[in-house]
Amino acid sequence: MNIIVDPNKLMNFAAYVSDFPKKINTECSEINSAAARLAKTVDTKDPADIKKITANIVRILENADPDLKELQGKVEGYANLVKHIRSNTKG
């Protein structure tokens, strides 16, 4: 049996899926901080709009959290299955 899937790349992808919401939340926080600094120097509604948009992004990520965790688990499970099959076919 020839399986053309690199389980290490799958595990890297699973780690990326896990880190994705954390990194996006961090970026949204930094954008909000910059918008707060901008609000002190300009008199527009742009900083409030930015805060609203980043809050929507965070909400979307929170709603997607169960799906992202399921994806991560499935990818890790598939990687482990590939490793298992490869180890049984080599022996």
Side-chain angles (χ1 to χ4, degrees):
M1 178 183 300
N2 188 16
I3 300 174
I4 309 173
V5 175
D6 184 345
N8 294 324
K9 287 184 179 180
L10 286 172
M11 291 304 260
N12 289 342
F13 179 69
Y16 174 80
V17 170
S18 174
D19 289 343
F20 178 75
K22 297 172 202 157
K23 290 182 178 185
I24 297 300
N25 279 328
T26 299
E27 294 296 324
C28 285
S29 254
E30 291 176 10
I31 291 169
N32 282 335
S33 294
R37 289 190 302 274
L38 179 65
K40 293 177 184 176
T41 60
V42 295
D43 202 18
T44 68
K45 68 177 198 143
D46 292 340
D49 288 343
I50 291 169
K51 187 172 182 171
K52 181 180 173 185
I53 292 167
T54 56
N56 286 339
I57 292 169
V58 169
R59 182 184 45 77
I60 290 167
L61 285 173
E62 287 170 352
N63 291 340
D65 191 57
D67 295 326
L68 290 171
K69 286 185 177 170
E70 181 180 359
L71 174 61
Q72 176 191 355
K74 300 251 183 204
V75 171
E76 288 172 350
Y78 186 63
N80 290 329
L81 176 65
V82 169
K83 286 180 186 177
H84 179 74
I85 291 171
R86 283 186 175 175
S87 69
N88 285 339
T89 58
K90 288 182 181 178

